[in-house]
């Protein structure tokens, strides 16, 4: 009996030891697509799904509110703001005081996301087989546009970012710093190739039919912008000269124009207007608006803890990125008064705030508490107007229906004016004409001739809060002068001095030390220096 | 004067016949004598001193009887009492005296309690029962067998409450006289549990003895088998049920604290229902480093569900060789838990009921600044001017007074256990209701646990059994450190004291009135008064503590069924084949309701509701065979088997922010109204793994032990690429019991050493905790949230995008290699036990998720990089003795730990956790302990300005992130604990303490964006002022962002806690027996009552582990461990 049992049990044991097949271990990953198959077999729909993600991420990450506020804070025209000097969100105060270090979060956000989009774009270009399908050709051209734009932005931020123009192999994971000249040359070629492949708008004002995506003239506008930036920053006349032609093409296409009423800019009324050379569509009709509209305006809206909000504005805001007094004064003087349309569409003074409408519930107009980082000027662009809000999205932090513009025709005109001025002294006067278009719209008298300072001032007045100012003053070499006292004095508005209408502005010593030449470029993010030890930090950081 | 009893009975014919019939006989050999005498009895205690020269035997016997309660029984015809004797002994046991007294004679002797029988009969010594009433005996006979069914000679049999006794013969057969049908027989034998059997009219009582657990023959569970303690070659700590009794800890992990050297129980939180993390021999990986936990053969993810009262033993496999049988999951050690199987000493079942009532309070509320101090400090810091406070002149709120209460824990355990030689049954039901120390009912843990264990020997060659755990739990938690600073606990510490708890109605500040007028819902207390709102609340997300507590209603329910079913075949002697199915099935439901409330523009909350239902099923099937054979003096054991594990889970989540009706009764997802912010999600998950394993052991003459084991493991494709998925984990270990060598006899005798064993082992283990799924390849994801609407009529296009990880198909398993050298010794007749171990543990190829160089387009990459070394020395000491009725034991352990990253995961230091808005403070870097604290260092304080002067490590005149150094590590240099047990008659006292030394923590409640926050009084009292220029801390300066992440925030977090002082009283049997109660014990205990530490924060013991291993050393305000007053009652029937 025992022997019998032994045999059975030995058999049983033997069987069970081998019953387990390794096939049980093969479990495919859920909710993912195979990279290889997807690209290789991509049709137009798949290609558009891929480029959609790039548009989505460009809007939410690269042109996201945090990066924009960061860049604005670095300039002489903006304070960090927020609730107080101690409001430490995103280290914006450090940016305002020019005391950032390489751990500043936006540096990493920008670095990581720009290369992410480059990788996505490279994958589209390399992995989707060549096709004559117009939609695929267009997507590939858009991918080319994006990777060139991202490499340009990287050079603008860091000067010598690693140059990535293809999907890297394992050996290329840890590249050294790139060469700015080489990268910019490549960017210009890429932009031109994208422009050659991309369609143009069918006519002026036809942006909506075209779609909120880049066009032939978007690529050309950026090509001009890249050439101008590099040419001025590096004193490279040859590259600078390349700026004129593409910008001229955009202007002479007659597909774009300036809107008459500046007050509609950045409001839903300007969606798909003729002035927007490229915009992000804030989709409002299909229930997915929360993915396509950010809370950018909540960041910059007036802060009700500090200031009674007029009826027109939504009653929540964080007060980031207010204008500096220096900018307020500049704009007042440049426009010739605080009642000029460009002034009023950009800023309001403390007195002008009292002219707005207030209902009883929100209390009397004026300060509720002392307002840090304020010299009596309040922003009027980038606010969250109650009328602009998506009503189908709940919560306290509401989203605007307005499209976000990335490139306005006004900027194209000013880029052209500057390029012409620098390249041939605006020999044919088209540069001045372009500048005067912008001035005329602002109800300023056209200039008979222009100086470099005229161009610089016009840019400053026109492009406030659009993230360009810091790069401008650096490339012009003006930052050292303009920013020499940045962050040294802090201003707080306590409303009117009692019994008068004089602003009660008190000062205190700030934590900034003024301009430091190391801000010629931004520091590479600390985490990336750890991840890629071949990357060398910029001077002074 | 006592009198020798002459054994006249031998001459009495009737009695002689009776005695013959009774066959009360044992063979006494010199060998068995020692066994018999070793049973705890009078003979083991009483000592005599004799000095008799040229005397005779009778004088010696007289003297012995004079000095002790012994008396001699003999037949004068057989024993020559006039024999000349010379003897000199000092303070010796009778068992030592008798051999000397009778050496060289033909006299044989036996000791029965106080009776010493002398005879010259070379075959038998017989005992005539109770000498006083020897006449009217009945008798009972039977056979006594051991656990293997073999007869045990020399077992003491006694009739309870009498002096009647007997001893089993060489065939295990005994016979005994009894005087009453109600008699109860007590069987005792060294190394075996005493057994109590009522006669109840039976004339034949066969008994099977069970080995006791208090010797080297103690059975130790080792994974797919058991071994004896004497055969262990690795480092295995064993905690038995007696050490787990009457604990107030409500889960098994906490119960392990301080029980074994090198086993650190890390409490991330003291909140009700929060489990502890166990760290065995340091921190070996940059991922989670918790051990593998196996309960009755079932792999579980946590042992929190186990009530300590249901546990028979916990074995901790500390060294890699012991753990290697669990291969890939064993890299952080293995914990084997055995639940109680049910047993019976008497053959009768036993009911038991335990009750515990605990009141708990906060132990230490850190001292923070009062209103006056606060305002002074903040103004000095430059953050505000005095006018900014808008201070009402009276408010001085001490938030802790409002937020802490006395909480109660109620605990009931009801159970049954019983068994016989064929089967055992254990059933218990535990109910726990823990309401924590935060006011209100937001910190609650309620748990109902059932344990049903049964086994039955169906055939002599087949046993089946089941173990089952049922758990039904409900948890409510308050937020703590896990969300940096934005928590109830954080808020209690930092909310400013000039804000009132609530406003007097009508006297709210104007800003509050304005917001109310604007239609915002400002949170109120139960009386409808608006909660105070800091004038500075706009700066921060920190809210009033009560609002933090009440902003969300959270319901967290869990039901789990865990268990095993097994079948053991024993087809031939020594071979056992086991097939075992383990399973876990459960569901959990989390429901959240977030109240609509407004504090300011940044801090507010819209109403929303969400719920998540998840269910999971896990099963494992294991088949293995154990074989044991003895060939001469060689003992060989072999084990081989396989395991297959399957784990699946699925969840459904939904959220909404509009409900069809605002009533409480409508707070369910069913009432969600369609809005764009509704969301749903859900996805099944499946993973599998399989293993083959084997072990071979050899021992020779109880002197030499050698063991090798091997395991091969493979995980499914979610972990590693197919080509690398198998991992191989070998081990070898050996032991040498020197004390069993004959050359040691003299040394043993000299040292009173009963055992000395040297051990050495080496093994390789793995770690799967570090690896997220599918990291080796790249894929594409799709999602509407990554999509785009071109606006040209396309509608929202769903986006497709590459994963953010850099694929690395070359990654392999992380492995841990450990050498362990140890020794165990017992001295002074086992009263002193000593265990010492040294280990050196190297973890290679750390599976690390690092920031991928972003230029690749990815954000993370998994690499095999880095090496971590842990080494340490562990010492365990125990002393156990009794003096008369006074029993006492002292045991202690201490373990040193040196943790070092010997190779970084990247060329530079890897940043870990950050202090919110102030930067990274923990790093993973070669040459440093794991996730050490790296901060700025205050070199000096400028005596004129009070400014901190930071050390400029690179001497470049700039203080930046490069100017930081290691200022601490939360990994302690050593851990230790001490337990004292005292028992006198019916009283018992236990004192247990544990501590860590050489650990530092960073106090991280001072966030940079909230310079108006309150902080520790310590920073106020020791700050620089014009009158205190030699200060410990600089002048408060909120511009100084480095200060918050400087060494000023790093504190010594060493502590010693007296975890328990318990006094128990066993109600005397004479009282309770009348109520048919078998045992009744009452006790009171002070738990976590005394803490010795310099740490100024909430609790030196809690930490940030619940966030991530890299946050371990960061104190963001965790729920502290409460101090408890416990009353308990144990009853058994």
């Amino acid at each position: 009996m025992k022997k019998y049992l032994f045999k059975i049990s030995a058999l049983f044991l033997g069987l069970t030891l081998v019953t387990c097949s390794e096939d049980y271990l093969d479990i495919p990953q859920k909710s993912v697509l195979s990279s290889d198959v997807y690209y290789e077999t991509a049709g137009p729909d798949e290609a558009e799904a891929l480029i959609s993600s790039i548009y989505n991420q460009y809007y939410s990450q690269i042109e996201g509110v945090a990066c924009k506020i960061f860049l604005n804070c670095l300039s002489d025209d903006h304070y960090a703001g927020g609730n107080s000097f101690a409001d430490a969100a995103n280290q914006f105060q450090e940016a305002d005081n020019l005391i950032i270090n390489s751990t500043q979060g936006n540096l990493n956000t920008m670095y990581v996301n720009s290369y992410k989009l480059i990788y996505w774009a490279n994958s589209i270009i390399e992995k989707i087989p060549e096709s004559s399908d117009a939609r695929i050709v267009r997507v590939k051209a858009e991918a080319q546009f994006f990777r060139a734009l991202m490499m340009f932005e990287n050079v603008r931020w860091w000067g010598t970012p690693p140059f990535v123009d293809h999907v890297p192999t394992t050996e290329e994971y840890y590249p050294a710093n790139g060469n700015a000249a080489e990268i910019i040359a490549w960017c210009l070629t890429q932009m031109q190739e994208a422009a050659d492949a991309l369609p143009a708008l069918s006519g002026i004002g036809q942006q909506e039919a075209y779609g909120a995506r880049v066009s032939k003239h978007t690529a050309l506008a950026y090509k001009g912008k890249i050439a101008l930036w590099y040419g001025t920053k590096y004193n490279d006349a040859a590259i600078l000269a390349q700026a004129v032609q593409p910008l001229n093409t955009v202007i002479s296409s007659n597909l774009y124009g300036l809107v008459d009423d500046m007050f509609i800019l950045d409001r839903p009324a300007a969606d798909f207007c003729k002035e927007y050379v490229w915009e992000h569509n804030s989709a409002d009709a299909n229930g997915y608006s929360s993915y396509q509209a950010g809370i950018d305006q909540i960041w910059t809206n007036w802060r009700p803890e500090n200031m009674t909000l007029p009826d027109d504005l939504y009653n929540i805001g964080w007060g980031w990125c207010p204008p500096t007094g220096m900018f307020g004064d500049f704009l007042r003087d440049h426009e010739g008064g605080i009642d000029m349309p460009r002034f009023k569409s950009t800023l309001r003074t403390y007195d002008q705030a009292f002219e707005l409408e207030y209902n009883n519930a929100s209390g009397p107009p004026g300060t509720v508490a002392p307002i840090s980082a304020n010299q009596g000027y309040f922003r009027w662009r980038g606010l969250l107007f109650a009328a602009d809000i998506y009503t189908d999205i709940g919560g306290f932090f509401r989203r605007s229906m307005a499209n976000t513009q990335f490139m306005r025709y006004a900027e194209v005109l000013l880029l052209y004016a500057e390029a012409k001025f620098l390249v041939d002294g605006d020999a044919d006067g088209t540069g001045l004409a372009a500048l005067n278009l912008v001035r005329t719209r602002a109800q300023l008298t056209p200039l008979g001739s222009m100086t470099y300072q005229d161009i610089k001032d016009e840019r400053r007045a026109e492009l406030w809060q659009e993230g360009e100012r810091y790069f401008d003053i650096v490339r012009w070499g003006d930052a050292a002068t303009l920013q020499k006292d940045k962050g040294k004095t802090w201003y707080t508005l306590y409303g009117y001095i009692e019994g008068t209408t004089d602003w009660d502005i008190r000062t205190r010593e700030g934590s900034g030390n003024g301009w430091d030449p190391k801000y010629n470029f931004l520091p590479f993010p600390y985490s990336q220096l750890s991840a890629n030890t071949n990357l060398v930090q910029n001077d002074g950081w | 004067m006592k009198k020798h009893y002459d054994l006249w009975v031998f001459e009495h014919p009737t009695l002689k016949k009776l005695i013959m019939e009774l066959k009360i006989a044992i063979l006494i050999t010199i060998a068995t004598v020692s066994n018999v005498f070793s049973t705890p009895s009078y003979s083991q205690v009483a000592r005599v001193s004799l000095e008799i020269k040229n005397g005779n035997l009778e004088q010696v016997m007289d003297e012995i009887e004079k000095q002790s309660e012994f008396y001699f029984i003999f037949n004068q015809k057989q024993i020559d009492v006039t024999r000349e004797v010379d003897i000199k002994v000092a303070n010796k046991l009778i068992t030592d005296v008798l051999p000397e007294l009778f050496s060289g004679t033909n006299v044989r002797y036996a000791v029965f309690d106080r009776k010493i029988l002398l005879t010259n009969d070379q075959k038998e010594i017989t005992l005539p029962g109770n000498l006083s009433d020897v006449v009217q005996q009945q008798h009972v006979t039977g056979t006594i067998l051991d656990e293997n069914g073999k007869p045990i000679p020399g077992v003491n049999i006694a009739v309870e409450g009498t002096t009647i006794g007997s001893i089993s013969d060489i065939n295990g057969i005994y016979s005994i006289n009894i005087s009453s049908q109600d008699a109860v027989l007590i069987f005792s034998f060294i190394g075996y549990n005493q057994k109590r059997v009522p006669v109840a009219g039976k004339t034949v009582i066969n008994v099977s003895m069970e080995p006791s657990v208090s010797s080297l023959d103690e059975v130790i569970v080792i994974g797919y088998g058991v071994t004896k303690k004497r055969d262990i070659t690795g480092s295995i700590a064993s905690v038995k049920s007696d050490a787990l009794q009457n604990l107030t800890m409500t889960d098994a992990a906490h119960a392990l604290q301080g029980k074994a050297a090198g086993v650190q129980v890390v409490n991330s939180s003291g909140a009700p229902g929060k489990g502890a993390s166990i760290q065995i021999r340091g921190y070996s990986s940059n991922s989670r480093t918790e051990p593998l936990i196996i309960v009755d053969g079932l792999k579980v993810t946590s042992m929190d569900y186990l009530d300590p009262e249901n546990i028979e033993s916990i074995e901790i496999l500390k060294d890699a060789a012991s753990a290697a049988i669990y291969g890939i999951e064993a890299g952080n050690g293995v914990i084997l838990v055995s639940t109680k199987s049910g047993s019976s000493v008497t053959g009768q079942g036993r009911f038991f009921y335990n009750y515990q009532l605990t009141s708990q309070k906060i132990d230490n509320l850190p001292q923070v600044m009062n209103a006056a101090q606060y305002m002074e400090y903040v103004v000095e810091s430059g953050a505000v001017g005095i006018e900014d406070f808008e201070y009402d002149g009276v408010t001085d709120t001490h938030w802790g007074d409002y937020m802490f209460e006395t909480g109660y824990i109620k605990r009931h355990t009801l159970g049954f256990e019983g068994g016989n030689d064929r089967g055992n049954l254990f059933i218990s039901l535990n109910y726990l209701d823990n309401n924590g120390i935060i006011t209100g009912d937001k910190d609650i843990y309620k748990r109902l646990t059932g344990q049903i264990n049964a086994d039955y020997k169906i055939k002599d060659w087949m046993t089946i059994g089941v173990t089952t755990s049922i758990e039904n739990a409900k948890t409510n938690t308050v937020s703590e450190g896990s969300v940096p600073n934005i928590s109830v606990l954080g808020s209690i510490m930092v909310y400013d004291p000039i804000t009132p708890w609530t406003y007097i109605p009508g006297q709210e500040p104007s800003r509050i009135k304005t917001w109310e007028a604007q239609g915002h819902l400002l949170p109120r207390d139960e009386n409808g008064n608006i909660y105070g709102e800091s004038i500075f609340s706009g700066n921060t997300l920190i809210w009033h503590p009560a609002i933090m507590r009440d902003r969300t209603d959270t319901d967290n329910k869990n039901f789990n069924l865990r268990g095993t079913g097994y079948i053991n075949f024993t087809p031939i002697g020594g071979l056992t084949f086991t097939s075992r199915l383990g399973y876990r099935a459960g569901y959990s439901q989390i429901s959240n309701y977030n109240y609509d409330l407004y504090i300011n523009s940044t801090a507010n909350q819209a109403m929303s509701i969400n719920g998540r239902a998840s269910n999971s099923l896990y099963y494992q099937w294991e088949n293995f065979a154990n074989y044991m054979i003895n060939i001469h003096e060689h003992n060989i054991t072999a084990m081989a088997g396989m395991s297959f594990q399957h784990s699946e889970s699925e969840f459904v989540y939904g959220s909404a922010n509009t409900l069809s009706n605002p009533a409480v009764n409508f707070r369910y997802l069913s009432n969600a109204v369609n809005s764009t912010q509704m969301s749903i999600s859900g996805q099944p998950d499946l993973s599998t793994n399989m293993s083959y394993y084997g072990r071979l052991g050899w021992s020779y003459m109880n002197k030499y032990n050698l063991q090798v084991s091997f395991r091969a493991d493979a995980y499914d494709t979610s972990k590693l690429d197919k080509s690398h998925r198998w991992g191989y984990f070998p081990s070898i270990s050996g032991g040498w019991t020197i004390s069993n060598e004959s050359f040691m006899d003299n040394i043993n005798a000299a040292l009173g050493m009963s055992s000395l064993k040297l051990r050495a082992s080496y093994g390789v283990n793995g770690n799967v905790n570090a690896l997220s799924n599918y990291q080796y390849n790249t894929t594409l994801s799709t999602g509407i949230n990554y999509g785009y609407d071109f606006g040209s009529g396309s509608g929202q296009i769903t986006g497709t995008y590459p994963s953010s990880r850099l694929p690395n198909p070359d990654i392999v398993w992380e492995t841990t290699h450990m050498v362990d050298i140890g020794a165990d010794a017992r001295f002074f007749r086992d009263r002193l036990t000593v265990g010492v171990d040294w280990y050196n543990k190297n973890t290679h190829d750390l599976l690390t998720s690092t920031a991928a160089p972003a230029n690749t387009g990815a954000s993370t990459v998994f690499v095999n990089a880095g090496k971590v070394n842990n080494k340490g020395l562990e010492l365990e000491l125990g002393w156990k003795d009794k003096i008369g009725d006074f029993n006492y034991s002292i045991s202690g352990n201490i373990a040193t730990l040196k943790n070092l990253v010997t190779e970084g995961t990247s060329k530079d230091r890897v940043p870990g956790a950050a202090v919110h808005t102030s930067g990274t403070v923990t790093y993973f870097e070669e040459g440093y302990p794991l996730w050490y604290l790296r901060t700025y260092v205050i070199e000096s304080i400028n005596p004129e300005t009070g400014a901190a002067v930071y050390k400029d490590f690179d001497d470049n005149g700039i203080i930046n992130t490069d100017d930081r150094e290691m200022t601490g590590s939360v990994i302690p240099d050593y851990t230790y604990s001490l337990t004292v047990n005292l028992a006198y008659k019916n009283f018992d006292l236990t004192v247990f303490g544990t501590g860590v030394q050489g650990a530092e923590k960073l106090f991280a409640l001072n966030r940079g964006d909230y310079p108006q926050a309150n902080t520790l009084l310590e920073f106020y009292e020791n700050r620089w002022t014009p009158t205190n220029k030699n200060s410990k801390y600089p002048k408060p300066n909120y511009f100084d962002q480095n200060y918050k992440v400087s060494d000023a925030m790093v504190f010594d977090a060493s502590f010693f806690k007296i975890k328990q002082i318990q006094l128990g009283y066993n109600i005397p049997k004479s009282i309770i027996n009348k109520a048919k109660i078998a045992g009744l014990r009452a006790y009171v205990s002070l738990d976590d009552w005394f803490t010795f530490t310099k740490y100024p924060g909430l609790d030196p013991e809690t930490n940030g582990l619940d966030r991530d291993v890299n946050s371990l050393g960061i104190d963001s305000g965790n729920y502290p461990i409460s101090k408890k007053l416990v009353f308990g009652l144990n009853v058994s029937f």
Side-chain angles (χ1 to χ4, degrees), chain B residues 356-377:
Chain B
Q356 230 175 39
L357 177 67
T358 303
S359 81
Q360 52 182 348
K361 276 184 176 169
I362 182 153
D363 177 24
N364 165 49
L365 190 59
Q367 289 193 292
V368 292
M369 299 182 288
N370 66 24
Q373 294 163 335
Y374 160 79
M375 287 189 285
E376 194 183 349
Y377 187 88

Side-chain angles (χ1 to χ4, degrees), chain B residues 21 24 67 131 212 246 624 685 690 773 814 843 968 987 1010 1017:
Chain B
E21 284 171 2
I24 312 169
Q67 287 185 18
L131 293 165
S212 67
N246 303 321
F624 53 93
D685 187 39
M690 61 196 289
N773 286 350
E814 179 176 316
T843 305
F987 287 96
Y1010 192 19
L1017 189 58

Side-chain angles (χ1 to χ4, degrees), chain B residues 51-88:
Chain B
E51 188 163 10
I52 295 171
K53 260 203 152 56
N54 302 323
N56 61 31
L57 183 59
E58 185 159 30
Q59 284 176 305
V60 175
M61 292 194 294
D62 275 335
E63 186 57 31
I64 289 172
E65 290 180 345
K66 221 185 284 174
Q67 287 185 18
S68 68
E69 294 168 27
F70 287 114
Y71 51 94
F72 289 86
I73 303 170
F74 55 91
N75 185 340
Q76 277 194 331
K77 288 180 182 168
Q78 293 178 334
I79 306 298
D80 176 14
V81 295
T82 62
R83 176 170 65 88
E84 265 195 29
V85 176
D86 280 341
I87 189 160
K88 185 180 176 185

Side-chain angles (χ1 to χ4, degrees), chain B residues 1026-1064:
Chain B
T1027 54
N1028 179 24
K1029 294 190 171 180
N1030 279 320
S1031 58
K1032 182 174 173 193
Y1033 299 116
K1035 176 176 182 283
N1037 175 7
Y1038 103 87
F1039 303 113
D1040 184 357
Q1041 294 296 335
N1042 296 345
Y1043 186 53
K1044 312 235 180 299
V1045 285
S1046 74
D1047 60 343
M1049 300 296 145
V1050 177
F1051 292 95
D1052 184 350
S1054 304
F1055 67 88
F1056 178 71
K1057 281 191 179 183
I1058 299 182
K1059 301 294 282 185
Q1060 185 170 52
I1061 302 175
Q1062 186 178 108
L1063 179 66

Side-chain angles (χ1 to χ4, degrees), chain B residues 331-347:
Chain B
N332 302 310
V334 179
I335 294 181
L336 303 173
V337 182
S338 306
T339 56
K340 286 179 179 166
S341 61
S343 63
S344 171
V345 180
T346 61

Side-chain angles (χ1 to χ4, degrees), chain A residues 374-499:
Chain A
N374 194 299
Q375 288 176 262
Y377 295 101
F378 294 79
R379 69 155 60 227
W380 198 250
R381 270 182 80 184
L383 297 179
L384 187 57
F385 291 86
D388 299 352
I389 292 170
Y390 282 113
T391 50
D392 59 345
I393 310 176
F396 285 105
F397 306 143
R398 310 300 287 266
R399 293 153 204 265
S400 168
M401 296 187 285
N403 284 359
T404 304
Q405 50 87 9
F406 301 136
M407 173 67 88
R408 281 194 292 136
Y409 188 54
E411 188 184 352
V412 175
L413 292 169
L414 294 173
L415 290 168
Y416 180 70
E418 187 179 350
K420 281 290 289 175
F421 178 83
L422 293 172
V423 171
D424 61 2
D426 193 25
D428 60 2
T430 52
L432 178 63
L435 180 80
N436 279 332
L437 275 176
V438 176
R439 283 181 66 85
T440 309
R441 194 264 299 267
Q443 296 179 18
L444 300 184
T445 42
L447 296 175
S449 64
M450 62 181 177
T451 63
Y452 204 0
Q453 194 58 44
D454 292 331
I455 299 166
K456 289 176 180 178
D457 288 348
E458 204 60 41
R459 273 186 75 86
R460 186 180 187 186
E462 181 68 27
L463 301 176
W464 185 77
Q465 79 121 21
E466 295 191 11
E468 293 297 314
R469 179 71 180 167
Y470 162 68
F471 294 123
D472 279 349
I473 58 175
V474 171
R475 74 185 166 94
W476 291 331
D478 296 344
T481 317
L482 292 168
Q483 308 253 66
K484 71 179 190 317
D485 294 323
K486 190 167 169 68
K488 288 183 183 170
T489 308
W490 288 353
Y491 299 88
T492 302
L493 175 69
Y494 281 75
Y496 287 127
I497 296 172
E498 218 170 314

